[in-house]
Amino acid sequence: MPEEEYRAIFSDRKEMVQQVVQYDLDQQEDRDQERLQQARNPVEKIIMLLQYGIQDLKTIHPDYISDLRTHYPDVWQTCLDHLNNYNYDLNYQVINEGVVQGYFRKDINLQLVAKIIIEQFHMLINPQVFPPNRYDLGEVFRSMYLYYVRGLCADKGGKLAEEYFSRNNI
């Protein structure tokens, strides 16, 4: 891209990174909606979201998150805001649907469970807790969430989760 075209679209590198990240977040929302439409029940929905989250994390270069944090703190804040709002709401809705339909335990605190899922993600992307050069973030993600989801399930959902885990080699 010639520099004059670049300057016509972006005022600086920070704006370019902001627009690219925002575009990616918008695409993530579209992908999530498409994926959720394919799921047959809330257990499958939450597992699909987690499974695709694992796949997405495996494609991210380990330096990406630390570079955003260090060099583009405003862009990083956009990512955190998206996580704390969009992802929280999405998890809350899916878990609530699962409680209503009897797949997830009725005694769970929806707000707390949705918040814990988000905070687990914050822990996952914290390089002091899980240095990316030492831990495979996809495997950490899997270890954190998949066992947590099993604990949320009622009997009806637990059987589906076990079947889904074994069928998909998770």
Side-chain angles (χ1 to χ4, degrees), residues 30-143:
D30 292 343
R31 285 189 310 270
D32 286 346
Q33 293 311 311
E34 287 175 22
R35 292 166 176 167
L36 290 175
Q37 289 176 3
Q38 297 171 14
R40 294 173 296 217
N41 57 65
V43 173
E44 195 169 303
K45 285 181 182 182
I46 200 77
I47 292 172
M48 284 175 77
L49 289 172
L50 296 174
Q51 189 174 19
Y52 286 117
I54 291 167
Q55 290 174 2
D56 291 346
L57 268 179
K58 287 181 177 181
T59 66
I60 294 174
H61 190 279
D63 294 335
Y64 175 76
I65 293 171
S66 62
D67 284 352
L68 279 181
R69 276 185 169 152
T70 303
H71 302 294
Y72 304 99
D74 293 341
V75 178
W76 177 242
Q77 188 59 51
T78 298
C79 295
L80 293 177
D81 292 345
H82 187 265
L83 177 67
N84 291 323
N85 295 305
Y86 167 77
N87 290 94
Y88 173 90
D89 291 342
L90 183 61
N91 286 312
Y92 184 96
Q93 290 168 7
V94 170
I95 294 166
N96 186 47
E97 179 184 347
V99 169
V100 169
Q101 294 179 15
Y103 291 101
F104 295 126
R105 297 167 40 154
K106 296 212 179 291
D107 64 342
I108 62 175
N109 179 322
L110 290 171
Q111 292 174 326
L112 191 55
V113 167
K115 177 70 171 160
I116 288 169
I117 289 172
I118 297 303
E119 291 306 318
Q120 285 175 323
F121 190 78
H122 284 291
M123 185 171 60
L124 170 75
I125 60 176
N126 182 338
Q128 282 83 32
V129 177
F130 294 107
N133 61 340
R134 187 168 171 206
Y135 296 96
D136 176 285
L137 293 183
E139 181 58 28
V140 174
F141 187 95
R142 177 188 174 280
S143 296

